[in-house]
Amino acid sequence: MEPKQAAAALGALAHEHRLAAYRLLVEAGPEGLPAGAIAERLGTPSSTLTFHLQQLRHAGLVTQRRLSRQIIYAMAPAAMNALVAYLTENCCGVQASCTPACEPAASAARSRKTPAA
Amino acid sequence: MEPKQAAAALGALAHEHRLAAYRLLVEAGPEGLPAGAIAERLGTPSSTLTFHLQQLRHAGLVTQRRLSRQIIYAMAPAAMNALVAYLTENCCGVQASCTPACEPAASAARSRKTPAA
DNA sequence: TCCACTCTTCGAGGAATATCGTATTATCAG
DNA sequence: CTGATAATACGATATTCCTCGAAGAGTGGA
């Protein structure tokens, strides 16, 4: 992953609404969610939400597909994968303790909120 | 880590200059680098660089300390740790293949970009 | 065909970011 | 104290981003 691409992905996530939207899509899994459902849950006008979803899509973090009248958005695991890998490889010092973040993947699986950390 | 905080950290890194600066600090390790050295390597005017370093500092990603006339910036591993953990726990689907990013930590260690010594 | 529904595109405003020259503060050497 | 060095603070400007209402495009049912 190129730094430019990484910066774009980081920028796409660097907004509360977009981060929240992305998290909803993570929860939803591969099935994704229609744009309307996301807008409703976030409480934003649909045109505003579209703007944010496009940002995410442009960064390759989500995919979209049409299902009848709805447009379903879903996370693109590969992109997040690449981003986390980039941060782990390039932004964590060699001697820095950045690996522990990978262990609690199991606990993370159960609670979406994980206040444990 | 709160979503708000995560968004702030992501935003701080979501800029080519800042990402580059941060990577220099990662390379530099705990010793850090004086602001001037970073500015020179990035080719940005010092006032511009100060602006970016403040963004990083405000997000808690770097620390600063004075050494005689220079001000030394250094990465704050804990913050990056928390960010990667947040992404791993909240932004990687349960069934999504996000763990692989953690496994090849070994390969990452010897990748082209780590002048570990 | 006509209408209801879902979402995107467009356009405009206001807010926030980024850049950089200049001025100022802090430190050290002589 | 004075001058030189290193960095930050300030101010102005340009650019980009965010928001949202209104209008448009695609889909399916009657």
Side-chain angles (χ1 to χ4, degrees):
Chain A
M1 193 178 216
E2 304 270 330
K4 211 163 189 169
Q5 206 178 343
L10 290 165
L13 290 170
H15 190 281
E16 273 192 87
H17 286 172
R18 292 198 290 266
L19 192 55
Y22 188 84
R23 293 221 292 161
L24 284 178
L25 293 179
V26 170
E27 264 187 48
E31 310 223 343
L33 282 175
I38 304 174
E40 192 182 358
R41 289 233 234 162
L42 261 53
T44 62
S46 56
S47 60
T48 298
L49 184 80
T50 294
F51 168 79
H52 288 305
L53 288 175
Q54 296 307 341
Q55 304 281 109
L56 288 171
R57 192 165 75 95
H58 191 259
L61 286 162
V62 306
T63 61
Q64 80 179 171
R65 68 179 199 276
R66 177 176 282 278
L67 180 68
S68 168
R69 265 180 281 197
Q70 303 179 313
I71 293 190
I72 311 288
Y73 286 85
M75 67 178 293
M80 178 56 73
N81 230 353
L83 180 59
V84 171
Y86 180 89
L87 291 179
T88 305
E89 293 177 17
N90 293 280
C91 294
C92 291
V94 180
Q95 62 268 54
S97 54
C98 212
T99 31
C102 303
E103 264 191 279
S107 77
R110 276 195 285 96
S111 64
R112 67 190 70 86
K113 202 51 198 290
T114 46
Chain B
M1 192 179 216
E2 304 272 330
K4 212 164 189 169
Q5 208 178 342
L10 289 165
L13 290 170
H15 189 284
E16 274 193 87
H17 285 172
R18 292 197 289 265
L19 191 56
Y22 188 84
R23 292 222 292 162
L24 285 178
L25 293 179
V26 170
E27 264 186 48
E31 311 223 342
L33 282 175
I38 303 174
E40 191 182 359
R41 289 234 234 164
L42 262 53
T44 62
S46 58
S47 60
T48 299
L49 184 79
T50 294
F51 168 77
H52 288 305
L53 288 175
Q54 296 306 342
Q55 304 282 109
L56 288 171
R57 192 165 74 94
H58 191 259
L61 287 162
V62 306
T63 60
Q64 80 179 170
R65 69 179 198 275
R66 177 177 282 276
L67 180 68
S68 168
R69 264 180 283 197
Q70 302 179 314
I71 292 190
I72 311 288
Y73 285 86
M75 67 179 292
M80 177 57 73
N81 231 352
L83 180 60
V84 171
Y86 180 88
L87 290 179
T88 305
E89 293 176 17
N90 293 281
C91 294
C92 290
V94 180
Q95 62 268 54
S97 54
C98 211
T99 29
C102 305
E103 266 191 274
S107 78
R110 63 168 158 71
S111 88
R112 59 213 137 14
K113 200 48 223 255
T114 29

